[in-house]
Amino acid sequence: MGKVFRTALGGRCDSKQDIADAPIPLTIDIPAVPGGADLVTRMFQPLGWRVTAEPLPLDSELA
């Protein structure tokens, strides 16, 4: 696997470097995380991700 994906893991493409250099707009939606928004922010912001969190009210029948 490492041999096959070596250039991709290094951010290099011999034939289409402009594509390899372009940012990829990724969005991850996580419905609920133990530890809350603070944990997610501490995990992903140091990696360069922008974190937005929207607290949701608990279900009054389950709380």
Side-chain angles (χ1 to χ4, degrees), residues 13-21:
C13 178
D14 295 334
S15 61
K16 298 183 185 230
Q17 188 60 41
D18 56 325
I19 294 173
D21 290 337

Side-chain angles (χ1 to χ4, degrees), residues 26-54:
L26 297 175
T27 300
I28 299 173
D29 293 317
I30 304 172
V33 177
D38 183 55
L39 174 65
V40 175
T41 300
R42 288 185 288 128
M43 288 175 58
F44 289 102
Q45 275 188 343
L47 300 174
W49 287 75
R50 182 179 40 138
V51 177
T52 57
E54 180 182 331

